[in-house]
Amino acid sequence: MSDQAIQELIGDLCTEISNLFRVSEAIAMLDMLAAFAQLTTCNDYIRPELTDVLAIKSGSHPIHEKIHQKKFIPNDAYATQQSRFQIITGCNMSGKSTYIRSLALMTVMAQIGCFIPAEYASFRIVHQLFARVSTSDDLNANVSTFAAEMSEMAIILRNISPRSMVIEDELGRGTSTTDGLAIAIAIAEALIQSQALVWFVTRFHDLATILAERSGVLNLHLAAEISSDASKMTMLYKIAEGPNTKSFYGLTLAKLVDLPPLMLETARKVSEKMNEISQRRHSKSSALAVSLKRNLLLSLREQLLQARQGSLEGEGLRKWLKKLQDDFVLHMAAIDGDDDGDDDEFSAEQNHSTNEREDTTEVETIGEDQSARLVESYDTSTDEQRSESSGRRREDTQGDIPSSATLSQRKIQMPVVEISSDISEKDYLLNA
């Protein structure tokens, strides 16, 4: 009798199954909206805008800011098609992974209709979000860390589109330095050509140097302060423009694990000598100066077009154009100054090159004769690799450029995103 009752109940439910699905979907939707409302009212979240530009002022990681309420540092972000490929460098534990993950999380939150932790934010609609952020292997499948990275990147490259967003953390570290850098550069070139928004975290400083003049590329780093004697490091957890220029941060962190002082001193002297030789041989070419000027001009064009298509007008527009003009003149003068300085350094570099063998042999005083040979061979291979990589670079003809403005200037540019059109007065100002 009980079985018959159960079968009858099942039959009755089957006739109403469509209604039950609709009820469950409605309950799930109400639960999600209630969760959004509770999150927004209990936290200082704001409503994001949907535009063609990703612009975030003082954005936070929605999870980490709860764990580190007193010391979590919010950061800015700005990305358009002219600054679509952003290379992130920085010291160990400086917050690089947290920064790119927070951008991905805020993008997802904005597109599902949730408010986000920021002072201001606008996002463009993203059709696909790709993330390669882990460094795990699969022993059961006989897959190493590097093999897993390459497999994931192959999937990303096959499916990426101009409306995609990619966050990439530490690519190519699971193999040799030369092969890892070469693969990272090749993958970076493919990602630049895809027109997608990409945040590319790397420890390959050569990659940031090689791609610096490419259209669509922007170098950023997480700031840190290192004492003059490299005995103390303070993480600022703040995004800043330009590649990371701090040296010996790995040695500074190595002191925390009580490595033998003599070994640390040996490593420091070798590192100093290698940096000295590398900096002596490296100088900005005239071709690089031309490329930087071209990017600066195209960046100016992008910002003027945004202003022309927007609603900013009157005195506010005049002040914005005046500041834009001043910034452009300063950046152009800095490029010209670097170019002139390279000519003065050329003759000095020639004199240095005659003493290079003597400088290299100084490394032998560190402890072993083999150190000097390793330094010299490493530096030679690095120069050859840079030369080969530079030969492979080609100029992007799509007119895309990285924004040359600093992060503080990006904050000023954000209102331009909101605007739409009044042309007569702007045309006069722009032509003037």
Side-chain angles (χ1 to χ4, degrees), residues 261-374:
L262 181 60
M263 189 187 70
L264 289 173
E265 182 65 15
T266 300
R268 184 186 65 81
K269 290 181 179 180
V270 173
S271 181
E272 287 177 349
K273 182 57 61 178
M274 293 171 65
N275 284 338
E276 179 183 344
I277 296 172
S278 177
Q279 291 174 5
R280 185 184 305 158
R281 289 185 175 181
H282 179 266
S283 64
K284 292 183 179 179
S285 65
S286 58
L288 176 58
V290 171
S291 178
L292 292 176
K293 290 180 179 179
R294 173 183 179 274
N295 289 342
L296 187 57
L297 287 169
L298 291 174
S299 178
L300 176 65
R301 173 181 176 272
E302 176 201 16
Q303 295 173 70
L304 290 175
L305 287 175
Q306 287 182 348
R308 180 174 182 174
Q309 296 169 1
S311 60
L312 193 63
E313 58 185 17
E315 188 62 25
L317 179 60
R318 291 187 182 90
K319 290 181 178 180
W320 185 86
L321 289 172
K322 182 64 171 63
K323 180 170 179 57
L324 184 64
Q325 180 186 28
D326 294 341
D327 294 338
F328 176 81
V329 171
L330 289 175
H331 282 85
M332 188 65 74
I335 296 173
D336 289 335
D338 291 341
D339 197 22
D340 294 338
D342 291 336
D343 295 336
D344 297 334
E345 293 172 2
F346 180 75
S347 58
E349 184 177 342
Q350 297 300 313
N351 295 331
H352 279 304
S353 63
T354 60
N355 299 323
E356 184 176 311
R357 185 175 300 276
E358 288 82 355
D359 292 338
T360 305
T361 56
E362 291 177 9
V363 183
E364 296 177 5
T365 62
I366 296 171
E368 296 182 1
D369 295 342
Q370 187 179 6
S371 299
R373 291 193 297 273
L374 290 174

Side-chain angles (χ1 to χ4, degrees), residues 23 46 60 73 82 90 96 105 108 113 125 129 144 152 176 189 242 246 293 297 331 337 345 363 410 413 419 426:
V23 170
I46 59 99
S60 301
I73 307 298
Q82 285 69 40
K96 302 184 295 296
L105 282 174
V108 173
I125 296 296
L129 174 60
S144 67
E152 293 173 5
S176 68
E189 292 279 2
K246 300 295 183 183
K293 290 180 179 179
L297 287 169
H331 282 85
E345 293 172 2
V363 183
R410 290 182 194 140
Q413 295 169 8
I419 45 190
K426 296 177 196 151

Side-chain angles (χ1 to χ4, degrees), residues 48-341:
E49 300 177 0
L50 297 179
T51 65
D52 290 332
V53 176
L54 187 147
I56 301 173
K57 180 180 179 182
S58 298
S60 301
H61 193 291
I63 299 175
H64 282 273
E65 71 168 355
K66 301 302 177 186
I67 301 174
H68 309 286
Q69 293 183 1
K70 295 183 179 180
K71 59 181 181 180
F72 188 86
I73 307 298
N75 270 299
D76 303 331
Y78 183 80
T80 66
Q81 274 298 300
Q82 285 69 40
S83 57
R84 62 184 179 273
F85 189 90
Q86 302 192 9
I87 301 174
I88 315 293
T89 54
C91 305
N92 303 79
M93 301 183 297
S94 59
K96 302 184 295 296
S97 299
T98 300
Y99 176 72
I100 61 173
R101 293 182 190 208
S102 65
L103 297 180
L105 282 174
M106 285 188 284
T107 300
V108 173
M109 292 173 68
Q111 289 198 197
I112 63 176
C114 183
F115 283 29
I116 66 168
E119 293 182 9
Y120 168 83
S122 70
F123 296 88
R124 73 171 194 169
I125 296 296
V126 173
H127 295 172
Q128 299 161 306
L129 174 60
F130 297 106
R132 209 231 60 80
V133 294
S134 63
T135 55
S136 59
D137 52 17
D138 189 349
L139 297 180
N140 294 328
N142 195 26
V143 175
S144 67
T145 300
F146 180 70
E149 287 181 359
M150 296 300 101
S151 176
E152 293 173 5
M153 285 308 306
I155 295 173
I156 293 174
L157 293 174
R158 283 197 301 267
N159 295 280
I160 197 170
S161 70
R163 277 291 180 176
S164 298
M165 177 178 179
V166 182
I167 58 172
E168 172 60 48
D169 195 1
E170 299 286 352
L171 181 67
R173 300 298 294 177
T175 186
S176 68
T177 302
T178 304
D179 292 347
L181 176 60
I183 292 174
I185 291 174
I187 291 176
E189 292 279 2
L191 293 175
I192 293 171
Q193 293 297 325
S194 71
Q195 307 291 318
L197 294 183
V198 181
W199 281 263
F200 198 96
V201 173
T202 183
R203 295 193 191 279
F204 292 125
H205 291 183
D206 287 340
L207 184 143
T209 303
I210 291 170
L211 297 179
E213 68 270 24
R214 280 295 309 274
S215 292
V217 176
L218 182 65
N219 275 312
L220 301 172
H221 71 278
L222 270 297
E225 293 181 350
I226 300 179
S227 60
S228 57
D229 59 352
S231 62
K232 182 180 179 182
M233 178 186 297
T234 304
M235 302 299 179
L236 303 181
Y237 304 108
K238 199 70 178 176
I239 197 72
E241 191 160 304
N244 181 49
T245 58
K246 300 295 183 183
S247 300
F248 314 124
Y249 60 83
L251 297 177
T252 303
L253 290 176
K255 293 180 180 179
L256 301 177
V257 297
D258 295 329
L259 288 174
L262 181 60
M263 189 187 70
L264 289 173
E265 182 65 15
T266 300
R268 184 186 65 81
K269 290 181 179 180
V270 173
S271 181
E272 287 177 349
K273 182 57 61 178
M274 293 171 65
N275 284 338
E276 179 183 344
I277 296 172
S278 177
Q279 291 174 5
R280 185 184 305 158
R281 289 185 175 181
H282 179 266
S283 64
K284 292 183 179 179
S285 65
S286 58
L288 176 58
V290 171
S291 178
L292 292 176
K293 290 180 179 179
R294 173 183 179 274
N295 289 342
L296 187 57
L297 287 169
L298 291 174
S299 178
L300 176 65
R301 173 181 176 272
E302 176 201 16
Q303 295 173 70
L304 290 175
L305 287 175
Q306 287 182 348
R308 180 174 182 174
Q309 296 169 1
S311 60
L312 193 63
E313 58 185 17
E315 188 62 25
L317 179 60
R318 291 187 182 90
K319 290 181 178 180
W320 185 86
L321 289 172
K322 182 64 171 63
K323 180 170 179 57
L324 184 64
Q325 180 186 28
D326 294 341
D327 294 338
F328 176 81
V329 171
L330 289 175
H331 282 85
M332 188 65 74
I335 296 173
D336 289 335
D338 291 341
D339 197 22
D340 294 338

